[in-house]
């Protein structure tokens, strides 16, 4: 039993919704024994002054991220598709509201 | 494209990112020396926030009114928060916060020299807010533009909160200065004791600060120690005048040519002594931190054991759907209804509220 006790609590990433209508935004991390404690700690640590109306906590281990080294392979394909942007299309100035 | 992965390219990208004044993020390639320096800088800063709770924390039970107690509690809680934001930033570099705490307790990592002085009277609480938090603001505002992203973001959050710290201290002193002769003497005495140590917070003079050039090149330091110290002196003199106290430096006077205040020679031997562990309170500060760590160990173990047991029993609280997808928020709020509600309730109730209210009014 005691062998299961881990001295270091796992790391959680914290996301806070500043107010209704906005996305949750990553604000930092914290250590907690479980999700419930992580929510408590996140409230104490990241919302002491009405910074949020809702909190998500996610085990850091569960976050899958794109690596900076994959930058070209991962994001380059969108770079050469200029026709996805409205400015690609020439419309005379005389045409209103477009 | 795979040749982009090799170190030489990494270094080029790193240097170019810094030159463009963009931020380095955790998973970017960075020189080992940069990583090490950042971990040391952030850890030292985090330790300072945590140790910095002690001098003022000592006065929470003895604050002269409920209002002052509430304010002081909120301030000391903020300092704990600052420490935790910073440990969080250090962990993005591969450091481990438990390990950093051990290094602090074993004296292998340092914290700001200023917290090794005792708080003898309640006026010290005011002077710490005014001068010590004031000096910290001078140091920290430029760090909001540190090249290391997570550190810069933590500094922005911290700087927002520091303004309340400085203003509550100055207001406390103004109140005492309007009081009795004895209270005014307490304020002057506290200023006399804290002025010079506050100037030492900016570190050794530029001539004896060998790492400054590299830190400036990496943009993890934006101004030299002496520049920031001068800025602090220039800000503090008119504040002292408005308060009606004398700064304990006979050489302090306006220099119309430099357009700055000249000030006397700092006793650098004192700074060396305090940094190397021989200040008035070094041993006590570390002993206190060690005691808190040891006496809290069973709580951390018990919480970990409880979490492990819940996982084994398939407890509801850790269910993964809490953090999955668009339903997560509703799920989390439903499931942890108690948590969410008490969070709101506590924020708006009692002690913390009155402090917050005042900050907004200030
Ligand atoms: Fe702080
Ligand atoms: Fe502070």
């Amino acid at each position: 039993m005691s062998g299961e006790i881990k001295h270091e609590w796992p790391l959680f990433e914290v996301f806070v919704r500043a107010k209704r209508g906005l996305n949750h935004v990553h604000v930092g991390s914290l250590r907690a024994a479980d999700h419930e404690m992580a929510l408590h700690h996140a409230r104490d640590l990241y919302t002491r002054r009405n910074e949020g109306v809702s909190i998500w906590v996610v085990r850091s281990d569960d976050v899958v991220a794109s690596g900076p080294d994959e930058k070209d392979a991962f994001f380059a394909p969108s770079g050469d598709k200029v026709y996805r942007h409205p400015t690609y299309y020439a419309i005379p100035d005389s045409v209103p509201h477009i | 494209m795979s040749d982009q992965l090799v170190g030489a390219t990494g270094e080029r990208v790193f240097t170019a990112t810094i030159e463009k004044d963009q931020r380095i993020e955790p998973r970017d390639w960075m020189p080992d020396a940069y990583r090490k320096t950042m971990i040391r800088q952030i850890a030292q800063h985090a330790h300072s926030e945590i140790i910095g709770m002690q001098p003022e924390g000592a006065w929470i039970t003895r604050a002269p009114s409920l209002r002052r107690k509430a304010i002081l509690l909120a301030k000391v809680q903020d300092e704990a928060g600052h420490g935790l934001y910073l440990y969080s930033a250090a962990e993005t570099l591969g450091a481990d916060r438990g390990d950093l705490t051990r290094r602090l307790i074993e004296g292998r990592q340092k914290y700001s020299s200023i917290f090794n002085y005792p708080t003898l009277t309640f006026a010290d609480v005011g002077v710490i807010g005014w001068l010590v938090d004031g000096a910290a603001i001078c140091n920290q505002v430029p760090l909001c533009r540190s090249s290391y992203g997570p550190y810069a973001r933590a500094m922005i959050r911290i700087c927002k909160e520091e303004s309340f710290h400085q203003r509550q201290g100055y207001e406390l002193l103004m109140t005492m200065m309007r009081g009795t002769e004895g209270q005014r003497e307490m304020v002057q005495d506290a200023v006399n004791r804290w002025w010079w140590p506050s100037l030492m917070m900016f570190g050794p003079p530029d001539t004896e600060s060998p790492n400054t050039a590299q830190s400036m090149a990496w943009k993890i330091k934006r101004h030299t120690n002496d520049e920031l110290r001068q800025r602090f002196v220039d800000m503090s003199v008119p504040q002292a005048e408005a308060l009606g106290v004398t700064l304990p430096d006979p050489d302090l006077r306006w220099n119309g040519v430099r357009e700055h205040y000249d000030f006397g020679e700092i006793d650098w031997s004192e700074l060396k002594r305090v940094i190397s562990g021989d200040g008035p309170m070094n041993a006590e500060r570390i002993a206190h931190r060690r005691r808190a760590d040891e006496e809290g160990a069973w709580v951390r173990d018990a919480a970990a054991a409880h979490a492990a047991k819940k996982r084994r029993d398939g407890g509801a609280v850790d269910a993964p759907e809490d953090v999955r997808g668009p339903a997560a928020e509703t799920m989390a709020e439903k499931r942890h209804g108690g948590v969410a509600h008490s969070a709101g309730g506590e924020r708006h109730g009692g002690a913390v509220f009155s402090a917050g209210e005042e900050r907004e009014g200030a």
Side-chain angles (χ1 to χ4, degrees):
Chain A
M1 277 282 251
S2 62
E4 279 182 49
I5 293 178
K6 278 195 38 206
H7 289 262
E8 202 68 76
W9 292 340
L11 198 60
F12 290 81
E13 301 301 322
V14 180
F15 300 77
V16 172
R17 182 198 292 287
K19 57 181 182 185
R20 289 180 177 283
L22 298 180
N23 288 320
H24 286 76
V25 173
H26 182 246
V27 291
S29 67
L30 51 75
R31 295 263 174 187
D34 56 26
H35 286 103
E36 187 182 16
M37 185 192 279
L39 269 181
H40 270 117
H41 286 182
R43 180 255 307 194
D44 288 344
L45 186 56
Y46 291 107
T47 61
R48 287 195 300 282
R49 291 185 174 82
N50 303 319
E51 289 94 336
V53 294
S54 163
I55 299 173
W56 288 350
V57 291
V58 181
R59 277 285 296 264
S60 305
D61 288 346
D62 291 335
V63 173
V64 181
S66 66
D69 296 338
E70 302 154 8
K71 191 168 178 281
D72 285 346
F74 214 72
F75 298 107
S78 66
D80 58 5
K81 294 179 178 58
V82 286
Y83 47 84
R84 288 184 171 171
H85 298 276
T87 46
Y88 178 73
Y89 303 93
I91 310 282
D93 287 348
S94 53
V95 181
H97 305 305
I98 184 164
Chain B
M1 259 173 213
S2 62
D3 64 326
Q4 294 248 340
L5 299 175
V6 302
T9 312
E11 176 127 40
R12 242 191 338 268
V13 172
F14 172 83
T15 309
T17 305
I18 290 196
E19 267 163 16
K20 277 185 284 185
D21 229 348
Q22 291 183 344
R23 302 287 179 261
I24 304 298
E25 295 296 341
R27 300 185 44 158
D28 290 340
W29 185 93
M30 62 188 87
D32 277 348
Y34 178 89
R35 184 184 299 275
K36 265 200 198 126
T37 305
M38 277 323 298
I39 290 178
R40 185 162 25 105
Q41 186 182 350
I42 298 173
Q44 201 162 310
H45 192 165
H47 298 331
S48 300
E49 303 283 355
I50 296 298
I51 295 289
M53 288 193 282
Q54 291 183 38
E56 290 168 287
W59 281 95
I60 290 176
T61 56
R62 294 176 289 168
S65 69
L66 187 57
R67 178 172 176 276
R68 292 292 167 197
K69 193 195 286 273
I71 292 169
L72 194 50
L73 262 173
K75 200 242 180 201
V76 172
Q77 191 193 7
D78 273 356
E79 306 300 4
H82 297 176
L84 295 178
Y85 305 154
L86 291 162
Y87 286 128
S88 164
E91 286 199 292
T92 64
L93 289 158
D96 173 285
R97 73 179 79 185
D99 177 56
L100 296 177
T101 297
R102 273 189 294 281
R103 283 166 191 266
L104 168 66
I105 289 173
E106 289 166 10
R108 290 187 288 144
Q109 278 180 340
K110 297 193 187 310
Y111 56 90
S112 175
S113 57
I114 194 74
F115 301 117
N116 291 313
Y117 293 87
T119 37
L120 302 183
T121 73
F122 196 69
D124 290 37
V125 170
V127 171
I128 287 179
W130 172 36
L131 294 179
V132 175
D133 287 273
I137 291 171
C138 276
N139 266 330
Q140 290 171 352
V141 166
L143 293 177
C144 295
R145 293 186 300 126
S146 165
S147 64
Y148 188 59
Y151 187 48
R153 293 192 285 274
M155 292 316 308
I156 290 171
R157 191 173 276 276
I158 287 173
C159 283
K160 275 188 201 156
E161 300 180 345
E162 289 295 354
S163 159
F164 142 61
H165 298 178
Q166 195 186 21
R167 292 177 69 111
Q168 65 82 31
Y170 195 82
E171 189 234 41
L172 189 166
L173 296 176
M174 287 199 311
T175 308
M176 288 186 78
M177 292 302 283
R178 284 195 301 267
T180 64
E181 194 51 43
Q183 285 177 307
R184 278 188 287 278
E185 279 167 18
M186 273 167 73
V187 173
Q188 184 61 58
D189 170 63
V191 170
N192 292 347
R193 285 181 289 107
W194 288 94
W195 173 248
W196 290 104
S198 299
L199 295 190
M200 294 177 200
M201 283 176 71
F202 297 92
D206 293 350
T207 48
E208 285 172 52
S209 183
N211 299 326
T212 294
Q214 176 63 81
S215 296
M216 302 271 268
W218 278 336
K219 296 186 182 171
I220 56 179
K221 190 168 178 169
R222 295 288 190 157
H223 306 280
T224 71
N225 296 352
D226 287 334
E227 284 168 9
L228 292 170
R229 191 166 11 244
Q230 181 71 60
R231 187 178 295 180
F232 174 70
V233 171
D234 291 348
M235 277 170 34
S236 299
V237 173
Q239 292 169 352
E241 277 166 15
L243 196 57
V245 295
T246 312
L247 297 173
D249 179 359
D251 297 323
L252 188 67
R253 63 179 60 85
W254 179 251
N255 181 328
V257 179
R258 292 201 310 127
E259 301 215 310
H260 288 293
Y261 284 94
D262 289 337
F263 53 98
E265 185 62 30
I266 291 167
D267 181 0
W268 297 116
S269 65
E270 177 177 327
L271 177 62
K272 275 195 190 120
R273 221 166 39 239
V274 176
I275 283 186
S276 58
D278 207 14
M281 300 295 280
N282 295 56
E284 183 169 333
R285 297 293 184 237
I286 291 298
H288 185 95
R289 182 69 191 88
R290 179 190 293 275
R291 199 161 54 240
D293 189 60
E294 287 170 0
E295 288 175 2
W298 73 269
V299 180
R300 296 194 296 276
D301 288 347
H306 178 65
K309 181 174 185 297
K310 267 192 316 190
R311 268 197 308 278
R312 269 199 316 276
D313 301 349
V317 178
D318 258 353
E321 61 266 39
D322 272 10
V323 289
R324 194 194 298 151
E329 183 191 357
T330 353
M331 291 295 294
E333 272 165 10
K334 219 182 250 166
R335 195 181 304 275
H336 301 304
V339 176
H341 279 276
S342 65
E346 241 174 83
R347 229 186 2 253
H348 297 299
V352 182
F353 180 66
S354 58
E357 190 178 48
E358 186 174 288
R359 180 184 57 88
E360 277 150 29

